[in-house]
Amino acid sequence: MASFHAVTSYSSRIFPPNIKEWKPKKIYQSQCPAFPLRQLPPLFRTGLTSRLGAETSNNRVSASLADVSLDVSLETNQLPGGGTWSIHKFGGTCVGSSQRIKNVAEIILNDDSERKLVIVSAMSKVTDMMYDLIYKAQSRDESYISALDAVLEKHRSTAHDLLDGDALASFLSRLHHDISNLKAMLRAIYIAGHATESFTDFVVGHGELWSAQMLSSVVRKNRIDCKWMDTREVLIVNPTSSNQVDPDFLESEQRLERWYSKNPSKTIIATGFIASTPQNIPTTLKRDGSDFSAAIMAALVRARQVTIWTDVDGVYSADPRKVSEAVILKTLSYQEAWEMSYFGANVLHPRTIIPVMRYNIPIIIRNIFNLSAPGTKICQASVIVDEDKQNLKSFVKGFATIDNVALINVEGTGMAGVPGTSDAIFSTVKDVGANVIMISQASSEHSVCFAVPENEVKAVAMALESRFHQALDAGRLSQVAVIPNCSILAAVGQKMASTPGVSATIFNALAKANINVRAIAQGCSEYNVTVVVKREDCIKALQAVHSRFYYSRTTIAMGIIGHGLIGATLLEQLNDQAAVLKEEFNIDLRVMGIINSRSMLLSKLGIDLSRWKELEKDTGEVADLEEFVRHVHGNHFIPNTVLVDCTADSVVAGHYYDWLQKGIHVITPNKKANSGPLDQYLRLRDLQRQSYTHYFYEATVGAGLPIISTLRGLLETGDRILQIEGIFSGTLSYIFNNFKGGRVFSEVVAEAKEAGYTEPDPRDDLSGTDVARKVIILARESGLKLELADIPVKSLVPEPLRASASPQEFMQQLPKFDQDLTKQQQSAEDAGEVLRYVGVVDVINQKGTVELRRYKKDHPFAQLSGSDNIIAFTTRRYKNQPLIVRGPGAGAQVTAGGIFSDILRLASYLGAPS
């Protein structure tokens, strides 16, 4: 009879160093041919090593093979490993009905993995029903009996849909037996008026037992060998003080081997969520327990991968309820998933990641209701680096938020350099039992700022004031300040903090969305940049950084005020170009509202501009400018808002300051704001310069011509403006271009009115007021502080006709006054000159004029045709030959084009590709 010696040593640590390669060390000495102990069946091996270890010192033993009987058949029942297992976890939604259980069974059958271990949750809502049983029983509410009957009926009816014959009878027998036991236990709880944690865990764990039994029976109906596992027999966990549990991996692995030796199968359906303590008392894995179960089992069998089946297509780059265009992430590193889950993202609980992370087992998040979606792969960081391109997008994977937090700022000069201050602060917080979510401290040590849940902030502040009352009284600490109503926004990504430009882009996006950052925290782990913002700005901030990073697309909510000729033309242009801008330039312009003086059309997602007139008739509301602005600006899915004022209304222009103050960008051809009272104009421009909010008004002068931008370019590059002279009115340009060859003035005016070049009342053009407003705008842009009343204007409306009752009466009487202008035109013609109606900004003499001037026929102003505008900039650089800007200066198409150009310029400023 052969004998052998064995030396066995185990590390006392749950996870020894280099655990991936670690195995129990065994050295064998034998008088017969080699017969390694590891080839013995698991049950025999475990019992042998433990028994021998108890009988000898130093774990050195000598035994005879006669001491045990070898069942050679058990060798085939050794638990296989080495990546042959595929783990699936199905949540309650996945097994919520008989049809869904059938769908799960089909997924299992279609998986061609060599071995499959499936973790199932209780049917949807069953766990809540079980907790409700406990609550009602300990509250001495007798309705727990009918509630238990409802649990019975739910599973009984599901079993009848799924099973038949012996399988159905067997399950129903177990079900009724379990229900009978539960009824007795709940009765005891009812009498005692209290349920221990062990009783509660025992009761609520039954949902998993029943779903696992039913699913395994369905799989067996397809002639697949399948066993179901009550994981309370296998998973051993140790409760902790933080309402969590720590798995005992060594003990669990040994129990799993024993279980498998008795129940060998290539398909195992196991219960999620439930486990046992080392004393074999039933317990649960607490929050997200089923996912945790799957991860633990994957670690125990060294699985190839874990698939978590849920009801979403994968992990989103942001909460899709807050960011409508959040995208599914293809990959996440373990650390990225960890960070995002901490900040409330619907990924996985960090506990789930720990077991698989140690063995580099990937987790796939997939949607059971959309099998075509590949899902999100959570795996080792080095794998992702190989797969992703090295750009900003790959470094910033996602964004998450925590709402309802408050900041506490402990501040004082007496804190600097004093050892133990931070320890005292956070010891006090710990004593209160509050959770510190983030900490921010400047290197000067002058203050410590940290965030806690808002419902805990009052207790924390009171405790700190009590703890430091002497320092506060002595002035060593100046305050313990509470900043309520905050939210935390976290940007998460692989090595993003070490990538130049990432943090700058985050804060630039927030600044351009007019969002103030209250506190900042960034860990040296390089996976997280955290900021604290006002709660009311949280969704807007989330959308701002997400849109800036994730698709390089600038999304702008637009409100169009006034849909007359210019406004309607702009809407037509936007409709024509929207798809091109989105596809080729990554600019997403969404018109969220259209309003005129009578009605308004609002939309939450964006108006269909191809049928806005039809929609306005069908769903238009009574115009309310305040409500209109609130709607357009209040859409938190879009970080940037612009109001486009296509009116000539001074009342609308009077709102610009308030809009800019709220972070709303303004674009307009309306001249009333910039040519109105000087103090209001200066106040408006000061606000614009102090904020990240933009105010563009290129179309106020010269329609679509680049006059304002040209002037600004000259000034910003250090040139000095001497004079600006130009024909600024398309109407008057047309009139004087055609006032020749013996034609009379009234005839040309009538022709211009008929062609649509004039306002409905031509006196609005002929008065010169419009030109004067443009002169004032350019004068103020050049630095002159002039009022509209300071500009002398040569009106072309005869004095007696200025009070005419109607435009028709004015046109009828105008021919009586042709003689004066005819004489002026003839005199100019005789001198080889032409008449032109011009506006002049004389910067040197700090004045402006609007008048009728004569120019030689070879002068650029004499070369115009149609309704073209022309502007000459005389500067220090362009002194001998002025810089000329010429082109169409009137008409709905070019004016709308100028507004559109400003919209695209805004998009560029907000981050769109230039």
Side-chain angles (χ1 to χ4, degrees):
M1 183 70 67
S3 64
F4 65 91
H5 299 283
V7 177
T8 305
S9 65
Y10 287 90
S11 170
S12 61
R13 297 175 57 187
I14 292 177
F15 285 114
N18 195 22
I19 189 168
K20 183 176 181 181
E21 305 299 329
W22 176 85
K23 294 180 179 178
K25 298 176 182 177
K26 301 179 176 70
I27 304 172
Y28 307 99
Q29 298 172 350
S30 177
Q31 298 174 355
C32 63
F35 189 77
L37 181 63
R38 54 185 163 81
Q39 291 185 0
L40 294 178
L43 179 61
F44 168 73
R45 182 173 76 241
T46 303
L48 178 66
T49 54
S50 62
R51 184 167 66 252
L52 295 181
E55 293 174 352
T56 64
S57 60
N58 298 322
N59 288 336
R60 192 167 185 84
V61 300
S62 177
S64 169
L65 290 180
D67 294 339
V68 294
S69 62
L70 294 177
D71 184 354
V72 179
S73 65
L74 285 179
E75 290 187 36
T76 58
N77 297 343
Q78 182 176 351
L79 179 67
T84 62
W85 290 95
S86 175
I87 308 294
H88 293 267
K89 179 265 173 177
F90 295 94
T93 307
C94 301
V95 291
S97 66
S98 56
Q99 183 56 52
R100 290 182 180 178
I101 292 175
K102 290 177 183 177
N103 294 341
V104 168
E106 187 174 348
I107 291 173
I108 297 169
L109 295 170
N110 290 334
D111 181 3
D112 58 3
S113 300
E114 184 177 350
R115 292 178 176 84
K116 292 162 280 190
L117 199 161
V118 180
I119 308 295
V120 290
S121 298
M123 296 178 69
S124 59
K125 299 183 180 178
V126 167
T127 300
D128 290 340
M129 294 170 74
M130 303 303 282
Y131 274 116
D132 186 54
L133 291 174
I134 298 289
Y135 174 76
K136 287 180 175 177
Q138 66 183 2
S139 301
R140 293 195 171 95
D141 180 351
E142 291 192 356
S143 66
Y144 79 87
I145 299 173
S146 59
L148 183 59
D149 290 339
V151 172
L152 169 63
E153 177 57 27
K154 182 179 181 70
H155 290 86
R156 191 194 64 79
S157 62
T158 302
H160 275 282
D161 289 343
L162 294 171
L163 309 175
D164 51 32
D166 291 342
L168 176 61
S170 175
F171 174 76
L172 291 179
S173 175
R174 291 179 181 176
L175 176 65
H176 284 285
H177 180 267
D178 289 343
I179 292 293
S180 178
N181 287 339
L182 288 173
K183 191 170 292 186
M185 180 170 285
L186 291 169
R187 181 63 182 171
I189 294 172
Y190 176 88
I191 294 170
H194 173 70
T196 65
E197 183 178 355
S198 297
F199 272 33
T200 301
D201 287 346
F202 177 77
V203 171
V204 299
H206 277 76
E208 279 72 17
L209 294 172
W210 297 326
S211 60
Q213 292 169 27
M214 286 191 289
L215 178 59
S216 63
S217 296
V218 174
V219 172
R220 281 195 296 272
K221 279 182 67 176
N222 291 273
R223 295 181 180 151
I224 299 295
D225 177 41
C226 175
K227 299 287 194 307
W228 83 273
M229 175 194 293
D230 180 349
T231 49
R232 292 177 300 187
E233 300 175 19
V234 172
L235 294 188
I236 303 302
V237 297
N238 293 294
T240 69
S241 59
S242 55
N243 195 32
Q244 293 185 0
V245 293
D246 289 335
D248 185 336
F249 283 91
L250 187 58
E251 177 64 22
S252 297
E253 185 170 7
Q254 292 172 353
R255 292 199 181 199
L256 176 60
E257 288 181 341
R258 289 199 293 271
W259 185 93
Y260 188 83
S261 70
K262 299 174 184 177
N263 303 279
S265 178
K266 289 189 175 182
T267 302
I268 299 172
I269 311 296
T271 57
F273 183 56
I274 57 178
S276 293
T277 68
Q279 295 76 34
N280 294 317
I281 299 172
T283 186
T284 66
L285 301 183
K286 314 307 177 186
R287 178 188 166 195
D288 297 308
S290 293
D291 288 350
F292 197 18
S293 298
I296 296 169
M297 296 301 293
L300 293 177
V301 301
R302 314 298 192 266
R304 176 174 56 85
Q305 73 174 31
V306 179
T307 303
I308 305 290
W309 293 91
T310 180
D311 55 0
V312 293
D313 286 345
V315 180
Y316 282 90
S317 54
D319 187 339
R321 295 167 299 181
K322 298 177 180 179
V323 181
S324 58
E325 293 182 339
V327 298
I328 297 294
L329 299 175
K330 180 181 177 182
T331 57
L332 275 175
S333 71
Y334 295 122
Q335 292 84 355
E336 287 168 339
W338 195 329
E339 292 281 355
M340 289 187 70
S341 63
Y342 175 80
F343 284 92
N346 187 21
V347 188
L348 293 171
H349 192 279
R351 293 182 307 157
T352 303
I353 299 169
I354 296 172
V356 295
M357 186 176 174
R358 293 181 180 274
Y359 297 98
N360 293 330
I361 301 170
I363 299 177
I364 315 295
I365 310 293
R366 292 194 63 188
N367 189 351
I368 193 170
F369 305 113
N370 182 15
L371 299 181
S372 62
T376 300
K377 182 179 182 180
I378 301 172
C379 57
Q380 191 176 8
S382 59
V383 176
I384 297 174
V385 171
D386 293 337
E387 292 181 359
D388 284 350
K389 295 180 180 178
Q390 299 296 305
N391 53 33
L392 284 181
K393 186 186 294 186
S394 69
F395 285 112
V396 180
K397 282 296 182 68
F399 302 90
T401 59
I402 300 177
D403 293 321
N404 301 319
V405 301
L407 284 178
I408 296 180
N409 188 44
V410 182
E411 182 177 318
T413 55
M415 292 175 58
V418 178
T421 303
S422 294
D423 176 66
I425 291 172
F426 294 110
S427 293
T428 304
V429 176
K430 178 186 176 184
D431 292 341
V432 174
N435 178 35
V436 176
I437 301 172
M438 65 156 280
I439 303 170
S440 178
Q441 179 177 354
S443 59
S444 66
E445 302 180 353
H446 178 69
S447 67
V448 174
C449 175
F450 57 94
V452 297
E454 198 154 41
N455 60 359
E456 299 175 352
V457 69
K458 185 175 180 181
V460 172
M462 290 175 63
L464 288 172
E465 288 172 352
S466 174
R467 171 67 177 79
F468 293 102
H469 71 92
Q470 289 183 343
L472 288 166
D473 293 342
R476 295 194 304 275
L477 289 185
S478 57
Q479 63 174 341
V480 175
V482 174
I483 304 170
N485 303 319
C486 293
S487 291
I488 290 177
L489 167 64
V492 175
Q494 179 76 23
K495 292 188 177 296
M496 67 176 187
S498 62
T499 304
V502 174
S503 295
T505 305
I506 292 172
F507 294 113
N508 190 37
L510 293 172
K512 287 186 175 180
N514 205 41
I515 292 167
N516 184 38
V517 175
R518 307 303 300 266
I520 304 166
Q522 178 176 321
C524 60
S525 65
E526 305 179 352
Y527 291 109
N528 187 320
V529 173
T530 301
V531 298
V532 180
V533 298
K534 292 180 182 177
R535 184 190 304 160
E536 64 198 57
D537 290 335
C538 181
I539 296 177
K540 185 178 179 183
L542 179 62
Q543 181 70 27
V545 294
H546 186 274
S547 62
R548 178 64 185 89
F549 269 96
Y550 231 83
Y551 2 85
S552 298
R553 180 156 73 195
T554 304
T555 306
I556 304 175
M558 301 176 61
I560 308 297
I561 304 173
H563 54 71
L565 187 58
I566 292 173
T569 304
L570 174 63
L571 288 167
E572 182 181 330
Q573 292 178 357
L574 287 168
N575 182 51
D576 290 343
Q577 285 296 111
V580 175
L581 290 171
K582 200 170 186 178
E583 182 71 24
E584 297 185 14
F585 299 97
N586 296 318
I587 300 173
D588 188 359
L589 303 177
R590 303 189 185 186
V591 177
M592 314 303 289
I594 302 170
I595 189 173
N596 65 7
S597 59
R598 297 179 302 279
S599 66
M600 63 183 181
L601 175 63
L602 306 177
S603 170
K604 291 183 179 179
L605 299 176
I607 296 170
D608 180 356
L609 297 184
S610 65
R611 49 194 293 267
W612 69 268
K613 292 181 180 178
E614 175 188 340
L615 291 170
E616 184 188 37
K617 289 180 182 178
D618 295 340
T619 61
E621 306 172 30
V622 176
D624 182 335
L625 186 59
E626 185 176 339
E627 175 60 28
F628 175 83
V629 173
R630 189 182 302 114
H631 170 84
V632 176
H633 186 49
N635 190 309
H636 294 299
F637 292 109
I638 301 176
N640 307 299
T641 305
V642 60
L643 293 175
V644 182
D645 175 19
C646 297
T647 73
D649 194 320
S650 58
V651 175
V652 175
H655 289 286
Y656 292 177
Y657 186 88
D658 291 336
W659 295 343
L660 290 170
Q661 216 173 22
K662 292 176 181 177
I664 302 173
H665 309 289
V666 176
I667 293 173
T668 185
N670 187 345
K671 294 176 278 291
K672 297 298 173 62
N674 286 9
S675 62
L678 179 62
D679 61 336
Q680 294 182 21
Y681 166 80
L682 294 175
R683 185 166 168 255
L684 194 62
R685 290 305 307 276
D686 284 345
L687 175 62
Q688 179 194 4
R689 292 187 183 100
Q690 293 169 12
S691 70
Y692 284 90
T693 311
H694 299 286
Y695 172 42
F696 295 148
Y697 42 85
E698 184 70 77
T700 57
V701 181
L705 296 179
I707 297 173
I708 299 290
S709 56
T710 299
L711 174 56
R712 283 190 175 177
L714 292 170
L715 292 170
E716 289 168 1
T717 56
D719 203 352
R720 182 185 174 193
I721 306 299
L722 304 177
Q723 178 178 279
I724 304 172
E725 182 180 11
I727 297 172
F728 296 105
S729 168
T731 302
L732 294 173
S733 175
Y734 178 88
I735 290 172
F736 282 98
N737 286 338
N738 291 279
F739 184 33
K740 58 185 177 181
R743 300 187 69 184
V744 295
F745 185 73
S746 59
E747 176 190 339
V748 178
V749 172
E751 180 184 283
K753 186 176 187 299
E754 183 69 24
Y757 287 115
T758 72
E759 295 292 334
D761 188 340
R763 285 174 293 182
D764 293 341
D765 298 296
L766 298 177
S767 68
T769 302
D770 183 65
V771 176
R773 289 188 181 279
K774 295 175 180 178
V775 168
I776 276 292
I777 291 171
L778 293 176
R780 290 174 174 176
E781 289 289 318
S782 303
L784 302 185
K785 296 183 179 180
L786 299 177
E787 296 280 9
L788 188 60
D790 297 332
I791 307 294
V793 179
K794 168 62 178 177
S795 176
L796 300 177
V797 180
E799 181 72 32
L801 300 184
R802 292 176 186 176
S804 295
S806 66
Q808 293 76 17
E809 181 183 338
F810 167 74
M811 292 302 297
Q812 289 172 0
Q813 298 297 320
L814 184 60
K816 298 178 182 179
F817 299 90
D818 283 336
Q819 186 176 5
D820 180 53
L821 279 173
T822 299
K823 286 182 180 180
Q824 292 186 57
Q825 192 275 335
Q826 187 60 51
S827 174
E829 181 73 26
D830 293 344
E833 297 175 337
V834 295
L835 291 178
R836 294 292 182 263
Y837 195 81
V838 299
V840 180
V841 178
D842 185 347
V843 178
I844 295 176
N845 295 307
Q846 299 190 8
K847 65 179 184 179
T849 58
V850 175
E851 59 189 9
L852 195 60
R853 286 187 175 184
R854 291 164 57 162
Y855 295 90
K856 293 292 184 181
K857 290 187 177 181
D858 60 353
H859 192 278
F861 285 16
Q863 309 301 315
L864 292 185
S865 61
S867 61
D868 281 3
N869 282 185
I870 186 169
I871 295 89
F873 293 93
T874 303
T875 73
R876 187 174 56 189
R877 295 175 189 159
Y878 297 94
K879 189 171 184 179
N880 297 325
Q881 187 162 347
L883 174 64
I884 301 291
V885 177
R886 172 181 172 175
Q893 287 291 337
V894 294
T895 303
I899 300 168
F900 202 161
S901 178
D902 272 349
I903 293 170
L904 297 182
R905 184 152 63 108
L906 172 64
S908 178
Y909 277 37
L910 295 175
S914 57

